[in-house]
Amino acid sequence: HYHDMAQWFVVLDGWARIEVENLGERVLAAGDALTVGAGPHMRHNVAQIGAGFQIMELCIPADYQTFPAEPPT
């Protein structure tokens, strides 16, 4: 999927495996942060979530839409 907003998040606890267009796959754990830009060129997918996964997320703008899409490449 992708959004018409940018998002920034920091992992507070646990871990997740995330796929982001043109960045590949990343495993993020507590203390890691990631920014994902707006638009179809930033397709992303949370492929796997570990126990206790918690994030704090900032979406700009806060009023946004999410669009379905093929998984990132």
Side-chain angles (χ1 to χ4, degrees), residues 3 11 26 40 43 48 54 66 71:
H3 310 282
V11 180
R26 310 265 189 212
R43 294 180 299 167
Q48 187 177 15
Q54 294 181 13
T66 298

Side-chain angles (χ1 to χ4, degrees), residues 5-63:
M5 57 77 176
Q7 60 192 139
W8 171 85
F9 64 89
V10 62
V11 180
L12 302 175
D13 194 18
W15 63 272
R17 185 169 55 87
I18 298 174
E19 303 162 338
V20 180
E21 187 78 22
N22 299 315
L23 294 178
E25 181 179 288
R26 310 265 189 212
V27 175
L28 302 175
D32 292 338
L34 182 68
T35 300
V36 178
H41 64 285
M42 292 301 293
R43 294 180 299 167
H44 54 283
N45 181 48
V46 180
Q48 187 177 15
I49 297 173
F53 182 64
Q54 294 181 13
I55 62 170
M56 178 174 57
E57 182 176 15
L58 175 65
C59 301
I60 303 171
D63 184 20

